[in-house]
Amino acid sequence: MLIYLLRHGLTEYNTQKRYQGQRDIPLSEEGRRELRRADIDPKVVYISTLQRTAQTARVLFPNAKLIPVDGLKEMCFGSFEGRSYVEMEHDPDYLAWVASNCERRCPDGERKDQFCERICTTFAALVDQALAEGEQMLVILAHGGTQMAALDRYAVPHRDYYEWCAPNAGGFVLDARDWKTQHILHLVKTVQYTKEATC
């Protein structure tokens, strides 16, 4: 089985380099314009409950049934959400969080380890279900954080956590042949579903 783990399209917060986390930010007009239909046509696509994933999926996979899964949501950045790193360069809470390599809890938000456990539990359940049902393809369209958390734990060859964040409307294709025995996914290729992309 092949797994497509994709990131939503561009938002204004992405352009402005703001933490959007669990804020329900829509795609920007630029983000909508640059999307293109994907080269696969799945029957089902799993998305998060935030609108930017559904908006992206409707362009990439116009014939697919979209199934929202709350556990796939981006990390909750708490009081950092809506703000950029420039705006917080003198915020002691933000500086402490960065100094901890972003491991400690965001004020009113999640800790990285809690977020990763949530994502990996949700992701693994979707993989298990798809394999049990004999599916040949599993498509998940969520967030950069979703990609980083799941692939840091399960993908080979191993990469640093932050290297698993694809560009907007991009992602990774993985082979699940060893999932049942080893809980690993083999990286096959990257994909990019924007109009200027050639891959």
Side-chain angles (χ1 to χ4, degrees):
M1 181 177 75
L2 291 181
I3 300 171
Y4 284 70
L5 183 54
L6 309 173
R7 186 183 178 197
H8 63 78
L10 188 73
T11 70
E12 291 291 351
Y13 272 31
N14 291 141
T15 302
Q16 297 166 4
K17 300 189 184 304
R18 296 183 183 277
Y19 288 90
Q20 53 192 344
Q22 296 188 2
R23 288 195 174 191
D24 200 11
I25 307 300
L27 296 182
S28 64
E29 286 304 314
E30 177 187 358
R32 289 175 187 269
R33 285 195 306 270
E34 70 180 10
L35 294 176
R36 66 177 173 90
R37 184 169 176 167
D39 54 357
I40 56 172
D41 194 21
K43 293 179 181 177
V44 172
V45 175
Y46 294 92
I47 59 175
S48 85
T49 49
L50 300 175
Q51 64 177 317
R52 55 193 183 267
T53 64
Q55 291 171 334
T56 304
R58 289 190 192 106
V59 177
L60 272 55
F61 310 109
N63 300 319
K65 176 183 179 182
L66 306 184
I67 300 181
V69 179
D70 193 61
L72 293 172
K73 279 194 304 195
E74 182 60 278
M75 182 172 173
C76 178
F77 293 106
S79 64
F80 301 155
E81 291 189 4
R83 303 162 71 192
S84 71
Y85 68 92
V86 173
E87 294 169 350
M88 296 187 287
E89 63 181 343
H90 301 298
D91 183 322
D93 288 333
Y94 181 71
L95 295 175
W97 181 67
V98 171
S100 74
N101 196 31
C102 308
E103 299 283 346
R104 63 184 291 178
R105 182 187 298 276
C106 301
D108 303 315
E110 287 181 287
R111 277 201 330 257
K112 180 184 168 189
D113 62 337
Q114 294 172 321
F115 164 68
C116 290
E117 190 59 35
R118 167 169 64 80
I119 292 295
C120 289
T121 298
T122 304
F123 176 83
L126 292 174
V127 176
D128 288 340
Q129 174 185 310
L131 287 170
E133 294 175 354
E135 300 291 348
Q136 297 301 305
M137 182 189 303
L138 171 63
V139 180
I140 299 171
L141 196 158
H143 307 273
T146 311
Q147 294 175 327
M148 293 188 291
L151 300 184
D152 179 59
R153 182 174 298 187
Y154 297 125
V156 291
H158 182 74
R159 296 182 183 178
D160 179 74
Y161 176 89
Y162 294 102
E163 292 179 28
W164 287 116
C165 184
N168 290 103
F172 305 93
V173 182
L174 304 121
D175 188 321
R177 65 182 181 270
D178 290 326
W179 177 264
K180 288 184 179 179
T181 57
Q182 301 179 53
H183 260 207
I184 61 172
L185 300 171
H186 299 271
L187 178 63
V188 175
K189 63 180 179 177
T190 60
V191 290
Q192 183 67 39
Y193 294 125
T194 47
K195 290 175 181 173
E196 72 276 9
T198 56
C199 60

